[in-house]
Amino acid sequence: MSDAIKHECGIALLRLKKPLEFYKQKYGSAFYGIQKMYLLMEKQHNRGQDGAGLASIKLDVEPGERYISRVRSNDAQPIQDVFAQINHRINEEMTLHPEYTDRVDLQKKNIPYIGELFLGHVRYGTFGKNNIESVHPFLRQNNWMHRNLIIAGNFNMTNVTELFNSLVELGQHPKEMADTVTVMEKIGHFLDDEVTDLYLECKNNGLSKSEASPIIAEKLEIAKILRRASKEWDGGYAMAGLFGHGDAFVFRDPAGIRPAYFYEDEEIVVVASERPVIQTVFNVDFEMVQELQPGKALIIKKNGTVTQEEIIPPAPKKACSFERIYFSRGSDAEIYQERKQLGRLILPDVLQAIKNDTDNTVFSYIPNTAETSFYGMVEAAQDFLNQRKNKYILDNRKTLTAEKLEEILSVKIRTEKIAIKDAKLRTFITEDSSRDDLVAHVYDVTYGVIKPTDNLVIIDDSIVRGTTLKMSIIKMMDRLKPKSIVVVSSAPQIRYPDCYGIDMAKLEGLVAFRAAMQLLKERELYHIVDAVYLKCKAQENLKDHEVINFVTEIYAPFKPQEVSDKIATMLSSAEIKAEVKIIFQTVENLHQACPKNLGDWYFTGDYPTAGGNRVVNKAFMNFYEGKDARAY
């Protein structure tokens, strides 16, 4: 994605099912869990680089012994910083107490982070907040072991205000209006209720508080707590939690918007946001890693039993398609093929743009994350060229000479590495004209491979704001003096804000929206803008399920290609000598390529939760009223 956007988070939960001595004997270290957590988090660093945190729980400790440890960082390299702190602390204890070396029991008792249950998180600050207090995991502390709650997740709620107010009505005083805090306190409230009910039951049976403790741990119904806590939630989430006594869960939203995968064997239970992370870290096959189903929670009891329980009835599955296009690493077997298919499916539109002239066309990609879809596009282009060759050979087989045949067969699709990002270049000047000149040189180009008669086709994952294209990429490509520049987006036009974890909150930031607004002005249809505003305004006091997304009417007068053509005009300028064309994937092709991830609300406005319609209307009203504010 040439336009950088903040997005997503990554979770990693690990439960060791054997005593720590087992891992010491089999793998050579009681630190096995910590080592695996480092890998699980580092392999997901693509999902968040603003902050990282890890929490661990030791099982079956004596009263007075510390059993919960947590470390968080918002350092420039937060994952490395977290584990540097952990490593320093472990080495410090081992140096001071050499008697710990061969005594796993002493290591567990005295060294923090050595336990059986771990929860890690990597984060992007969706709201721009990156102070340490905003970094997961969050901890709700209590002297009752069962009431200690640790929460981390990949999620965003659309109705934080309502959730906050419901906590106030329950008599709580949340420290801030943030979805992580409100979700944790909501779970914590019903956790307190459940523990109290179980204690009273034990008390009525003549048990003391200390005698009741293990019974509460055994009988605590995590699914019941989650059902009560999540009744009002509206958003996308893959949320993980640990309880102080050793139970754990991972809970996925009913539309399956945010991803979660898990694997279990006789030694471990592991959950992560991406399948290949688990495959790589534990060396297991694709088929052995399962997807946590929408609306269900994976519940791991202290005794090691693992179950999947339905918390909320599943809605139509609308798993985020951006996971497949861009966010998740392309090393997943399915995602790799899906991205190639996105490239294949868009080739017919590319051929139309270059008038089938593959002989005078160079294919490339920018940035590196578009490389897989580039492979698919080039394979399809080679198939097209082979069909042309075969037809020519068949039509001229009686007169074809050996030399001509060799010439025909030697023709190939031309591919080049055109752009290389200069990672060391920083746009340190904030004054606009100077900064724009720096932005235009963020990429280096490969000279000498483009002829003045060539079309230059560049594929990108997606086009969000178009800023980098306008200020850098198109200018850079034009320096190579091609006849035309065809910018290809493997994703459809991004027309609507996201409200489930991707930082695309403002409509005016989206180049497709700005293009539609220009078209409305040029065609004297701006009255539609006023009408949409009045319709959105009229719905302000309705319940979420009653709200309709009227922003779709902004795009209704235009065919997708008309919007694409306007975007091309907006992203070009008088100084650009080459003809500039912009091609976007169709939504139909997206669904064909990624049939398991049909969430497409940022392209179509079809939000999978009721709160989404309220958010998009609010975003439009903010734009119309000139408010520089988020819609959620």
Side-chain angles (χ1 to χ4, degrees):
M1 186 180 294
S2 53
D3 286 320
I5 62 172
K6 300 282 189 177
H7 63 85
E8 297 299 281
C9 292
I11 57 172
L13 184 148
L14 176 62
R15 167 64 195 276
L16 305 182
K17 296 169 72 174
K18 302 283 189 181
L20 293 184
E21 184 66 43
F22 170 87
Y23 304 94
K24 166 76 171 176
Q25 292 182 8
K26 183 170 181 178
Y27 300 106
S29 174
F31 309 149
Y32 174 84
I34 296 171
Q35 294 165 352
K36 291 299 185 184
M37 285 302 297
Y38 171 70
L39 291 172
L40 287 167
M41 292 171 66
E42 185 57 54
K43 292 293 183 183
Q44 296 183 93
H45 78 269
N46 56 297
R47 303 187 69 83
Q49 297 165 27
D50 285 346
L54 180 136
S56 65
I57 290 179
K58 304 174 189 283
L59 303 183
D60 300 316
V61 302
E62 293 296 323
E65 295 179 4
R66 182 175 180 178
Y67 59 96
I68 295 178
S69 298
R70 179 178 62 147
V71 57
R72 298 180 293 173
S73 174
N74 59 351
D75 187 80
Q77 294 183 311
I79 300 173
Q80 289 84 349
D81 185 47
V82 162
F83 285 92
Q85 292 182 54
I86 293 172
N87 190 50
H88 174 76
R89 186 65 188 278
I90 292 173
N91 287 339
E92 184 179 54
E93 292 291 337
M94 296 293 281
T95 301
L96 290 172
H97 301 279
E99 67 272 19
Y100 294 171
T101 302
D102 297 316
R103 291 284 303 276
V104 174
D105 59 332
L106 294 179
Q107 292 174 9
K108 177 178 174 178
K109 181 177 181 178
N110 296 291
I111 301 178
Y113 310 110
I114 299 177
E116 294 89 352
L117 187 55
F118 303 88
L119 178 58
H121 189 265
V122 294
R123 169 183 192 270
Y124 271 118
T126 306
F127 285 85
K129 296 180 182 178
N130 196 33
N131 57 61
I132 196 67
E133 292 300 316
S134 299
V135 178
H136 300 206
F138 279 49
L139 172 61
R140 187 179 192 262
Q141 292 181 291
N142 195 286
N143 276 342
W144 281 57
M145 183 179 280
H146 324 84
R147 296 178 192 250
N148 282 287
L149 176 63
I150 302 169
I151 291 289
N154 172 18
F155 64 92
N156 201 74
M157 300 297 177
T158 70
N159 59 336
V160 178
T161 302
E162 290 83 350
L163 295 175
F164 180 90
N165 291 337
S166 70
L167 288 172
V168 174
E169 291 170 7
L170 290 170
Q172 293 194 17
H173 191 91
K175 64 180 182 179
E176 63 176 307
M177 192 182 292
D179 54 4
T180 308
V181 172
T182 53
V183 163
M184 181 175 67
E185 293 299 337
K186 196 77 167 177
I187 296 172
H189 171 78
F190 291 108
L191 170 63
D192 290 344
D193 274 3
E194 187 72 6
V195 170
T196 300
D197 290 346
L198 288 171
Y199 167 66
L200 291 176
E201 181 183 316
C202 291
K203 182 180 178 181
N204 292 336
N205 290 328
L207 299 178
S208 67
K209 291 181 179 179
S210 60
E211 291 171 328
S213 185
I215 295 175
I216 293 172
E218 180 184 347
K219 290 189 173 183
L220 196 65
E221 294 186 47
I222 306 303
K224 179 180 177 182
I225 294 168
L226 294 175
R227 288 187 191 106
R228 297 178 72 189
S230 61
K231 282 184 178 179
E232 299 172 350
W233 293 356
D234 187 290
Y237 47 88
M239 187 181 309
L242 313 181
F243 298 88
H245 63 280
D247 285 357
F249 72 86
V250 178
F251 175 26
R252 193 177 182 199
D253 67 83
I257 296 170
R258 301 270 69 90
Y261 297 87
F262 71 95
Y263 166 75
E264 179 189 8
D265 61 24
E266 67 278 2
E267 296 181 11
I268 57 119
V269 185
V270 59
V271 185
S273 295
E274 298 188 27
R275 188 199 316 261
V277 172
I278 298 174
Q279 289 182 254
T280 299
V281 174
F282 292 96
N283 191 27
V284 295
D285 293 337
F286 177 94
E287 296 78 13
M288 299 175 73
V289 181
Q290 300 181 58
E291 182 179 4
L292 179 59
Q293 293 304 305
K296 289 191 175 182
L298 188 77
I299 296 174
I300 309 165
K301 291 294 290 180
K302 177 181 178 290
N303 63 14
T305 59
V306 180
T307 57
Q308 280 196 73
E309 298 195 41
E310 185 176 290
I311 307 301
I312 303 175
K317 189 176 180 183
K318 291 299 178 82
C320 175
S321 56
F322 250 126
E323 285 283 349
R324 321 302 275 191
I325 296 167
Y326 173 72
F327 292 146
S328 291
R329 286 191 174 191
S331 54
D332 183 283
E334 288 184 341
I335 292 175
Y336 184 79
Q337 294 302 327
E338 289 168 5
R339 290 181 182 175
K340 287 187 72 174
Q341 185 70 349
L342 287 170
R344 291 188 190 100
L345 290 173
I346 207 166
L347 181 72
D349 290 338
V350 174
L351 292 174
Q352 184 176 351
I354 63 173
K355 298 181 173 60
N356 291 343
D357 185 10
T358 55
D359 293 346
N360 293 296
T361 298
V362 172
F363 293 86
S364 193
Y365 58 91
I366 189 169
N368 288 344
T369 49
E371 186 175 8
T372 306
S373 55
F374 164 76
Y375 289 148
M377 179 177 67
V378 169
E379 286 179 5
Q382 191 62 54
D383 290 343
F384 168 79
L385 181 58
N386 290 341
Q387 290 172 7
R388 283 178 53 189
K389 289 180 183 180
N390 293 338
K391 185 177 187 307
Y392 183 88
I393 291 169
L394 288 172
D395 290 347
N396 298 275
R397 59 187 179 276
K398 293 181 180 179
T399 59
L400 204 58
T401 65
E403 291 79 9
K404 184 63 175 177
L405 179 61
E406 183 177 355
E407 177 189 335
I408 293 168
L409 293 177
S410 67
V411 176
K412 297 179 180 178
I413 293 296
R414 295 164 62 198
T415 62
E416 303 289 351
K417 179 75 171 176
I418 292 295
I420 305 99
K421 189 169 186 178
D422 188 343
K424 295 180 180 179
L425 188 62
R426 296 288 182 267
T427 53
F428 57 90
I429 296 176
T430 57
E431 188 266 319
D432 286 347
S433 59
S434 300
R435 187 177 185 278
D436 288 350
D437 184 61
L438 286 172
V439 170
H441 293 84
V442 167
Y443 289 91
D444 289 331
V445 293
T446 303
Y447 292 96
V449 296
I450 303 294
K451 304 190 300 290
T453 54
D454 284 338
N455 305 299
L456 178 53
V457 174
I458 299 288
I459 191 165
D460 194 351
D461 304 293
S462 55
I463 299 169
V464 186
R465 294 182 291 269
T467 307
T468 307
L469 277 175
K470 181 178 179 67
M471 303 311 303
S472 178
I473 294 173
I474 292 175
K475 288 182 179 180
M476 171 189 70
M477 298 299 174
D478 194 58
R479 293 205 297 268
L480 301 177
K481 297 181 171 56
K483 178 176 67 176
S484 70
I485 300 169
V486 182
V487 180
V488 182
S489 170
S490 69
Q493 296 168 6
I494 299 171
R495 298 180 165 198
Y496 305 94
D498 183 78
C499 52
Y500 305 119
I502 307 169
D503 195 17
M504 297 189 298
K506 300 176 183 178
L507 274 168
E508 60 269 30
L510 306 177
V511 69
F513 178 77
R514 299 198 305 273
M517 295 298 292
Q518 283 205 20
L519 287 172
L520 289 172
K521 289 178 181 177
E522 291 170 3
R523 300 185 187 183
E524 298 183 351
L525 295 172
Y526 204 80
H527 62 276
I528 292 175
V529 177
D530 299 322
V532 169
Y533 173 74
L534 293 175
K535 290 178 181 179
C536 293
K537 196 74 176 173
Q539 296 186 107
E540 274 191 301
N541 297 319
L542 297 181
K543 300 288 186 183
D544 280 355
H545 69 273
E546 300 174 317
V547 175
I548 297 169
N549 175 7
F550 284 114
V551 183
T552 57
E553 296 181 9
I554 295 295
Y555 300 96
F558 314 116
K559 296 177 180 178
Q561 190 56 51
E562 292 179 280
V563 178
S564 296
D565 292 342
K566 176 52 64 175
I567 292 172
T569 301
M570 292 166 57
L571 298 186
S572 187
S573 61
E575 64 192 86
I576 303 298
K577 301 297 187 290
E579 180 186 9
V580 177
K581 300 177 183 178
I582 307 284
I583 296 173
F584 287 89
Q585 188 73 263
T586 66
V587 173
E588 293 75 18
N589 282 349
L590 170 68
H591 290 168
Q592 182 181 336
C594 309
K596 296 181 180 179
N597 282 54
L598 299 177
D600 61 6
W601 53 93
Y602 14 68
F603 309 127
T604 65
D606 181 16
Y607 288 86
T609 76
N613 289 335
R614 176 173 51 79
V615 166
V616 67
N617 286 351
K618 180 64 175 175
F620 182 79
M621 288 188 288
N622 285 344
F623 158 77
Y624 190 92
E625 295 168 3
K627 292 181 180 178
D628 184 18
R630 302 180 70 90
Y632 58 91

